[in-house]
Amino acid sequence: MSEQLCAVCNRGVTETLLKTEKSRLPLMPSHYSTLDHSILHHSTLDDLVQAANSGCWLCRWITLSRRWSDMVCLNSHGFAFYFKIFAVDDDGALGRLRVEAGCHVVDKDRRWKLYRLIEDLNKTKKKWMPPINTMGGVFHGFLFEFIFQAIHDEKHMTTSSSTASNLPMIRLLDNWLTECRTKHPMCLPPPSAFRPTRLLLIENEHSARVVETKDWVAHHPYVALSHCWGTTSRLQLKKENMGDLLRHIDVAGLPTTYKEGISISLALGFSYIWIDSLCIIQDDAEDWTKEATTMKNVFEHCSVNLSATAAADSSESCFTYRDPVTIQPLDVTINWQEKKPSKSRFRFGVHWVDIRQTDIVSSPLHSRAWVFQEANLSRRRIDLGRSQAWWHCQQNWACEMHPSGVPDDMPNYNIKDKRMYQNMLNRRLVDRSTPSPTSSFQRRSSQTITNVALDSSCLGNDYLQDLQNHWFEPVEIYSDCAITQKTDRLVALAGIAQRYAQTRGLGLEDYLAGVWRQGLLVSLAFSPVHNRKTSTSRPDRYRAPSWSWASLEGKVSYSKSMVSFTPLCKVADVKVIHRFEHYKAGEVKGGVLHLKGRLLELDQQNNHNSPIKVSDDNFDERQAVKYSTIPPLVVSYLEHDPPCKGRRFDQRKEGIVDGTRRTYIQFHDISELSQHGIRLFLLPIIAGKSEWSDFPGFSGLLLCQTLDDYLAGNPIYQRVGCYNRHAGFSEAALKMLPTVPETDVYII
C-alpha cells in the first residue's frame, strides 16, 4: 500500500504487482512480456481528475501528461475513456507500470469522427499519434499510454521538499552547476574573451539596468535567457528609451519570465543576464543585424542558458504546473501473506523519455526556430519544464526526479528514443571537442572546390556520413520549427552554420543558403514532408534559391540510408547573393546553380504511360485541405513583372532575381500545367546505393521552365520537386538516359 495513492490506484497497483510477482518464477523469460496482468483502473476521466485533486501521485502524473489534454478534448466530443493498469516485466525483473487509457469505438461513422479529431490534435507541433487499438483485427479506438519506470538506484532519488517553495530546486541547480564547473572538462568555456555588446546588470532583486561592455577589461560570467516572446507587450530596448534603461529598470515591471530569469540568476550567483529584447536595439536594423552575427558567441560563451521552457508567452510563469509532490518517487509496499508474512518495497518514477517529451520536446519554447540554435550552441542549459527542472551539459543530462543523471536502464521498446537523445549529446561532443571526421579534408582553393569538391565524390564516405548526421539531421528538426519573422529562417540557423564550418575547417564562403558547397549534389535531394493536415509552399517574398530547402515553408527530410553514390551531373558553378555581403550566414537575395546534365522532359499529357512517372509526392508544394484524401498540388515560380526581354537571362544566370514576382498554379493533375505554358523536366543528379538494398537508386530534381524562357531559349529552370527512387529508373528510362545530350541548366 502507499499513502501517495488513491484507493483505486492502491488496489490496482497492489493487485497488479502481486499477480506479476506470483507468476514470475514458473515462466521462462521469453514469456514475461505476454502475461496479461491488467487491472481495471478509473472508469471515467472525471473520477481520475477527482483523485488527482485529492493528491493521488499516479493520477496527478496522468493529468500532467501531454496526452491528457488530448483525451479531455476527445471526451468533450462524446468519446468516453476507461483506464487499465499493468505491471510489465523487463528481462525477468519488474520494470514498468503502464496505465492505458482506451476508447472503444465500433461504429464506422464514429470511428472516422474520432480519427479526424485526433488528426486535428496532431496539428500541434511534436504531437505523437497514439497507437491504434484493435481486437480481432477490428478497430476499436486509440490507446494513450502512461509509463512509470521502476527505480533501482537510490542515487536517482531527489531530496526536494514537498512544499511549494523553489528553494530545493535552486540548491539542486547550484549543485549541477558547481559539479559541471569543477568536474566536466568538456564543458569548459571557449578560450576567446568574447563579451556581448550589452548585458543586463542585476543590481538586486528589485533593480537592474542595461550596461554596454565595450570598455570592459575583464570578462564577467552571464546567463543567457531563452523565452517565447508571445503577443503580450513587454519592455524593449529602443533608441528613444536607451538612456533610461542604461540608468534603471524596475524589475517588478518586467514580464514574468524575465523576473523569474533574473531571480534564478541572482540565486545562482550571477550579476549579469542577457535578454534579447533588452540587449538588442529593437528599432535599429543595423544594430539588429550586427547582433544577429554574434548570436553564436553569445550562447557559446554564456555560463548557462536558462530556458523558460514551460511558458508560451513572456507574461506566463514557468512554475504554473509545477507540483513538487509528483517529483518524489512513488513508494509501494506489498504485504505477502503466503508461507510467512513479508514485505516488498517498490519505487517508481515517471519514465524519463515520457516526461522529457512533455517537458521539453513538446514545450512551447522548443518549437521555436531561434531556440533550436540557442539550445544547441550553449555549453550548459537549464530547462524550467512543465513538471520539473532539467539540466543539460556536455557530460550530463539530469532532472529533479533523476538528479544524478537520467537512467541508462531503458527498456527495449524505447531504445529508439534513447538513441535519439544520445545522438544529440554525441553530436555536441563531436562538434565541440574532437577532431571532425573531415579533419583529413584540407581546405582547397575556391577554384579547386568549384571544379572538384562540388560533386562530393572526392570527399569519401566519412564526410558524407558526417554531413548526414550533423547537418541534414539538424536541418530536418529545424525546418519543423516555427518562426515569427519568416525572413529570419536562415538568420536563426546562422550560429549552427558558423559552428559547423568552424569545426570542419570550412569557410562561410562554402555555405550556400542552407547547404554546403562540399557535398552539394547530395544536399539537393531533400523532400518536403507531406500530409493532409499541413501545407508546404514557397513564400511570396524571396528567401532562398529554389534548390535550397530554406526556400520552403514546412518540414523537409533527407534520406540518410545512402552509403555511396555517383554523380549523374556536373556542377559548373554555384553562387548566392547575400543581403549583407559581410554576413555570409544570413539572408540572401539571389542565387543560381549552374549544372551540366541530361535533362529529360516529362510527357505531361501521358504521364501514366511515360517511362518516368511523376506522382503527387514528387512535388514540393501543396495546399492543406481538411479531410481531403488528395490535397491540391501547387507549382510556383518567379517571373518578371512587368516582362523585360532585355537583360533578364543575363541577370538571372548570375543569380539576380530583383524585379520578379512569384506566381502560383494550383492543380490536381500535371496535364493541367501545360495549359499555363509550364514545361516539366527531370534532371538526374545522383545515383547511389542504400544500406538496406542491393539495388541502385537515384535522385533527381523536378524542374519547371516558363513559356517566356522556353521561347527565348533561356536555359533557366526552377525546382518544383524532387524525384527519389530507391529501385532506380524503369528499364525504358535507363535506356533513354545515355541518348540524351548533356546541356547547361541554370536553376534559380
Side-chain angles (χ1 to χ4, degrees):
M1 300 291 288
S2 172
E3 295 180 358
Q4 298 167 274
L5 297 177
C6 65
V8 173
C9 287
N10 253 319
R11 186 190 71 247
V13 171
T14 303
E15 291 184 14
T16 299
L17 294 177
L18 284 170
K19 281 188 176 183
T20 306
E21 285 292 301
K22 288 179 179 179
S23 62
R24 176 176 287 120
L25 294 176
L27 298 176
M28 296 294 291
S30 60
H31 295 156
Y32 293 147
S33 61
T34 64
L35 295 173
D36 183 4
H37 298 147
S38 63
I39 300 293
L40 187 62
H41 192 229
H42 288 287
S43 57
T44 68
L45 266 65
D46 290 340
D47 290 344
L48 193 142
V49 170
Q50 185 175 352
N53 293 337
S54 299
C56 176
W57 185 94
L58 197 64
C59 295
R60 279 193 184 187
W61 264 117
I62 293 173
T63 59
L64 286 173
S65 167
R66 61 188 168 85
R67 300 173 176 88
W68 178 254
S69 60
D70 292 347
M71 289 191 296
V72 171
C73 178
L74 297 174
N75 189 249
S76 68
H77 286 86
F79 292 96
F81 284 86
Y82 67 94
F83 295 85
K84 295 175 73 174
I85 188 167
F86 299 78
V88 183
D89 287 320
D90 290 321
D91 297 327
L94 184 62
R96 287 169 283 147
L97 286 176
R98 188 175 82 223
V99 178
E100 287 186 356
C103 176
H104 282 181
V105 182
V106 179
D107 180 75
K108 184 177 180 180
D109 291 336
R110 293 267 297 163
R111 179 195 315 167
W112 279 109
K113 181 181 179 182
L114 176 63
Y115 185 87
R116 290 168 179 172
L117 285 171
I118 288 189
E119 215 176 32
D120 286 343
L121 291 172
N122 277 272
K123 288 181 180 178
T124 306
K125 293 283 185 183
K126 312 296 184 189
K127 290 271 185 162
W128 290 350
M129 179 73 81
I132 295 176
N133 176 27
T134 60
M135 294 182 64
V138 179
F139 176 95
H140 282 269
F142 290 96
L143 290 177
F144 293 79
E145 290 186 317
F146 305 89
I147 307 299
F148 302 92
Q149 187 74 20
I151 298 173
H152 306 292
D153 193 342
E154 293 290 334
K155 72 179 181 179
H156 287 159
M157 295 298 94
T158 179
T159 57
S160 294
S161 168
S162 61
T163 68
S165 169
N166 289 324
L167 184 59
M169 183 196 73
I170 295 296
R171 290 197 189 115
L172 185 58
L173 296 181
D174 188 54
N175 289 340
W176 283 330
L177 182 60
T178 301
E179 181 182 22
C180 183
R181 282 171 165 169
T182 57
K183 298 181 180 179
H184 294 174
M186 299 299 302
C187 304
L188 294 176
S192 170
F194 168 83
R195 296 184 295 273
T197 305
R198 302 175 193 90
L199 286 168
L200 207 63
L201 170 61
I202 309 171
E203 296 176 321
N204 54 55
E205 59 183 1
H206 306 295
S207 177
R209 60 186 173 91
V210 175
V211 294
E212 296 186 309
T213 66
K214 58 184 177 182
D215 297 326
W216 282 10
V217 176
H219 170 78
H220 294 280
Y222 64 93
V223 173
L225 181 69
S226 293
H227 65 102
C228 288
W229 280 43
T231 57
T232 306
S233 61
R234 71 196 63 79
L235 181 65
Q236 298 179 34
L237 177 63
K238 295 187 177 181
K239 295 177 183 178
E240 61 182 12
N241 67 357
M242 187 167 181
D244 295 334
L245 300 191
L246 286 169
R247 287 188 293 271
H248 173 72
I249 295 175
D250 182 10
V251 173
L254 293 176
T256 303
T257 53
Y258 292 17
K259 287 186 287 188
E260 290 176 348
I262 289 172
S263 175
I264 292 175
S265 299
L266 202 58
L268 293 177
F270 293 97
S271 298
Y272 294 92
I273 185 171
W274 186 91
I275 303 176
D276 50 6
S277 63
L278 296 175
C279 295
I280 302 174
I281 305 175
Q282 298 300 311
D283 57 352
D284 187 331
E286 183 178 351
D287 187 74
W288 189 93
T289 302
K290 173 178 172 293
E291 292 302 307
T293 65
T294 66
M295 208 61 65
K296 168 180 175 289
N297 288 328
V298 167
F299 283 90
E300 279 191 338
H301 287 78
C302 70
S303 293
V304 64
N305 172 213
L306 182 62
S307 297
T309 308
D313 190 286
S314 58
S315 64
E316 296 182 6
S317 171
C318 290
F319 305 113
T320 302
Y321 301 98
R322 179 177 172 78
D323 183 355
V325 173
T326 60
I327 298 171
Q328 295 292 322
L330 170 66
D331 281 309
V332 180
T333 301
I334 303 296
N335 293 310
W336 304 97
Q337 300 300 328
E338 295 183 355
K339 296 184 179 178
K340 62 179 181 178
S342 62
K343 294 182 179 181
S344 294
R345 184 189 181 200
F346 298 87
R347 299 171 71 85
F348 292 93
V350 178
H351 194 278
W352 77 270
V353 170
D354 199 40
I355 51 175
R356 181 180 170 81
Q357 182 73 22
T358 300
D359 274 7
I360 299 177
V361 180
S362 299
S363 68
L365 184 68
H366 284 277
S367 68
R368 308 300 301 176
W370 280 101
V371 176
F372 174 82
Q373 174 173 262
E374 296 165 8
N376 279 275
L377 291 174
S378 303
R379 292 174 290 129
R380 308 180 185 101
R381 189 174 90 243
I382 295 170
D383 275 287
L384 303 178
R386 180 183 174 97
S387 68
Q388 59 192 291
W390 290 76
W391 171 267
H392 301 76
C393 69
Q394 309 313 300
Q395 294 186 230
N396 188 29
W397 280 355
C399 61
E400 291 181 77
M401 182 169 284
H402 302 289
S404 298
V406 294
D408 293 327
D409 52 341
M410 295 281 291
N412 291 333
Y413 81 104
N414 249 329
I415 197 69
K416 181 180 179 181
D417 299 303
K418 180 182 179 181
R419 187 172 62 247
M420 178 178 68
Y421 295 125
Q422 192 62 42
N423 285 344
M424 290 171 62
L425 178 60
N426 289 341
R427 181 166 66 245
R428 294 178 192 166
L429 293 176
V430 170
D431 287 351
R432 291 176 184 277
S433 60
T434 60
S436 164
T438 63
S439 58
S440 60
F441 171 68
Q442 302 297 321
R443 289 291 310 283
R444 300 176 171 89
S445 68
S446 90
Q447 183 63 34
T448 304
I449 289 175
T450 299
N451 293 336
V452 181
L454 283 169
D455 65 5
S456 304
S457 60
C458 66
L459 300 181
N461 289 337
D462 284 346
Y463 179 82
L464 296 178
Q465 190 66 43
D466 182 72
L467 186 69
Q468 291 171 346
N469 291 342
H470 303 296
W471 185 254
F472 292 166
E473 183 178 326
V475 161
E476 290 178 347
I477 299 171
Y478 176 79
S479 65
D480 197 30
C481 292
I483 194 166
T484 302
Q485 297 296 330
K486 304 299 184 184
T487 53
D488 292 347
R489 179 64 73 182
L490 283 170
V491 182
L493 192 66
I496 301 292
Q498 290 168 333
R499 187 184 66 184
Y500 185 87
Q502 176 185 343
T503 55
R504 284 150 182 81
L506 304 175
L508 286 180
E509 65 272 13
D510 301 320
Y511 183 61
L512 307 165
V515 299
W516 292 94
R517 190 184 300 271
Q518 294 76 9
L520 179 59
L521 287 182
V522 72
S523 299
L524 302 177
F526 62 88
S527 299
V529 177
H530 289 314
N531 52 55
R532 291 194 298 273
K533 60 185 178 293
T534 60
S535 61
T536 51
S537 63
R538 290 188 167 87
D540 289 335
R541 181 175 173 181
Y542 182 88
R543 189 168 67 207
S546 65
W547 41 267
S548 167
W549 61 266
S551 67
L552 279 172
E553 291 286 351
K555 182 176 175 60
V556 300
S557 67
Y558 281 94
S559 172
K560 291 181 281 294
S561 62
M562 189 175 292
V563 294
S564 63
F565 73 89
T566 303
L568 297 178
C569 63
K570 301 174 184 175
V571 180
D573 194 14
V574 60
K575 64 181 71 172
V576 295
I577 304 172
H578 301 94
R579 191 163 297 280
F580 305 100
E581 281 304 317
H582 65 282
Y583 186 25
K584 297 186 182 298
E587 285 186 74
V588 300
K589 59 179 182 179
V592 64
L593 174 61
H594 179 192
L595 300 176
K596 290 182 177 291
R598 305 180 188 278
L599 205 58
L600 308 175
E601 184 165 8
L602 303 181
D603 185 356
Q604 301 177 51
Q605 300 298 328
N606 197 20
N607 181 50
H608 295 294
N609 296 324
S610 172
I612 305 168
K613 299 178 179 62
V614 178
S615 69
D616 295 349
D617 290 336
N618 295 132
F619 288 91
D620 284 340
E621 301 176 81
R622 66 175 62 204
Q623 294 293 319
V625 177
K626 200 171 186 180
Y627 311 141
S628 172
T629 55
I630 308 178
L633 301 170
V634 175
V635 159
S636 74
Y637 54 89
L638 299 173
E639 63 177 358
H640 278 269
D641 184 26
C644 53
K645 301 293 184 183
R647 295 184 302 153
R648 182 170 59 180
F649 172 62
D650 291 336
Q651 286 181 326
R652 287 196 288 171
K653 77 174 185 178
E654 293 300 319
I656 300 172
V657 295
D658 287 344
T660 59
R661 63 178 174 86
R662 185 166 294 281
T663 297
Y664 298 87
I665 297 174
Q666 186 171 300
F667 64 99
H668 284 88
D669 189 275
I670 66 169
S671 61
E672 301 170 30
L673 293 175
S674 59
Q675 303 169 16
H676 298 273
I678 296 297
R679 304 174 77 207
L680 284 181
F681 296 86
L682 178 66
L683 177 68
I685 53 173
I686 55 174
K689 187 175 181 180
S690 168
E691 64 183 0
W692 47 265
S693 174
D694 293 330
F695 296 98
F698 96 102
S699 292
L701 299 182
L702 193 60
L703 306 174
C704 82
Q705 185 182 44
T706 65
L707 183 61
D708 285 347
D709 282 323
Y710 169 67
L711 295 176
N714 298 332
I716 294 288
Y717 303 86
Q718 299 176 54
R719 172 180 160 139
V720 294
C722 187
Y723 196 86
N724 289 311
R725 287 292 181 271
H726 290 294
F729 280 123
S730 67
E731 187 175 345
L734 282 171
K735 293 179 179 178
M736 178 197 309
L737 190 60
T739 66
V740 178
E742 193 174 75
T743 185
D744 288 300
V745 178
Y746 293 86
I747 308 175
I748 62 172

